[in-house]
Amino acid sequence: MVTFVLLLPLIITVLTSFKPAGEVITAVPTLIPHRFSLQNYIDLFTIQEFPRYLLNSSLVASCTAVLTLIIASLAACALVWMRFPGKKVILCSILFTYMFPHILLLIPLFLMCHNFNLIDTKFSLVLVYLAFSLPFSTWMLQGFFESIPRELIEASFMDGCSYRDTLLRIVIPVSLPGVGAVGIFSFVLAWGEYLFAGTLINHETNRTIAIGLQTLVGYYRTDYALLTAASTAMSLPIFVLLVAAQKYFIQGLTTGSINE
């Protein structure tokens, strides 16, 4: 029952997207459409800018996920197996950035991007999203890396493997569920982010899907059928990723129980 209540807004959005335009706003609204129609999706993808919004979001989210995995893996590897000055300070303050609301960092990040001439570029979004995804991703991968038996790592060093070879051939394959979860987390974070995308991006060709939805809201009239279709299309990639992530989580639990 609780799950149904939580999913009810999503169910209403999806079902409304399949309603004809005349059935969306009625005196007596219905949950299930009287006649299912794909016209809203046809109209949506006839809008020239909408596929570009999807492409921009895919590019920004994919770059954020890939860079997060690379940098977080190297950082977690260093924090777990290397010795260097200030290691304990970094471990204690790694999640310090999450103590502040994101809106407090909006103006400093905007000024920084402005000074480096990065305003209205997709690269600025990738850098900002990296700043928010890396601390949690590093902390999460550190936990997975610490669960790997140290004897396995020492054996790879005795066989002549470098840190890079050990990371690529042993650590990442063993921690694949954690790596997959981190990649999905960073992708989802960048895909639907609105605050920084709306502040740093001005030109229409660089807008992401979260900002693109705003263009469907008119001053005097809003096509709710088209808006719900766009919202459903925006949520579909995330839904597919989360369904795929279940396999990684189940595999991680099974692998952990077998190792113990």
Side-chain angles (χ1 to χ4, degrees), residues 45-58:
F45 283 94
T46 56
I47 300 176
Q48 184 178 0
E49 294 81 7
F50 188 77
R52 185 186 299 121
Y53 298 154
L54 287 175
L55 180 61
N56 290 339
S57 291
S58 301

Side-chain angles (χ1 to χ4, degrees), residues 70-80 84 138 145:
I70 294 174
I71 300 175
S73 298
L74 295 175
C77 181
L79 290 172
V80 174
F84 53 89
T138 303
F145 290 176

Side-chain angles (χ1 to χ4, degrees), residues 41-174:
Y41 292 94
I42 296 174
D43 295 339
L44 178 64
F45 283 94
T46 56
I47 300 176
Q48 184 178 0
E49 294 81 7
F50 188 77
R52 185 186 299 121
Y53 298 154
L54 287 175
L55 180 61
N56 290 339
S57 291
S58 301
L59 181 61
V60 171
S62 299
C63 291
T64 302
V66 171
L67 290 176
T68 298
L69 285 176
I70 294 174
I71 300 175
S73 298
L74 295 175
C77 181
L79 290 172
V80 174
W81 292 300
M82 292 184 179
R83 296 181 179 178
F84 53 89
K87 179 178 178 179
K88 292 184 178 180
V89 177
I90 296 176
L91 288 173
C92 295
S93 61
I94 194 170
L95 297 180
F96 182 73
T97 56
Y98 288 95
M99 295 179 61
F100 303 95
H102 290 181
I103 195 171
L104 293 181
L105 303 176
L106 181 61
I107 295 178
L109 288 174
F110 177 84
L111 294 176
M112 183 181 67
C113 292
H114 180 269
N115 292 334
F116 287 97
N117 295 321
L118 294 176
I119 296 296
D120 204 16
T121 62
K122 290 185 279 291
F123 184 64
S124 64
L125 293 181
V126 174
L127 289 180
V128 170
Y129 297 155
L130 279 175
F132 293 114
S133 65
L134 276 176
F136 179 79
S137 300
T138 303
W139 175 79
M140 187 173 182
L141 285 180
Q142 177 194 352
F144 275 92
F145 290 176
E146 286 180 342
S147 64
I148 299 177
R150 185 170 294 273
E151 293 79 8
L152 185 62
I153 305 300
E154 294 176 352
S156 67
F157 290 153
M158 293 180 62
D159 291 338
C161 292
S162 61
Y163 279 106
R164 183 192 62 182
D165 295 334
T166 302
L167 179 64
L168 294 177
R169 298 180 180 181
I170 297 177
V171 175
I172 290 183
V174 173

Side-chain angles (χ1 to χ4, degrees), residues 161-205:
C161 292
S162 61
Y163 279 106
R164 183 192 62 182
D165 295 334
T166 302
L167 179 64
L168 294 177
R169 298 180 180 181
I170 297 177
V171 175
I172 290 183
V174 173
S175 305
L176 191 58
V179 173
V182 166
I184 292 172
F185 160 77
S186 55
F187 186 92
V188 172
L189 182 147
W191 178 265
E193 200 280 329
Y194 178 84
L195 179 62
F196 289 94
T199 304
L200 299 177
I201 301 299
N202 299 319
H203 199 271
E204 186 175 329
T205 57

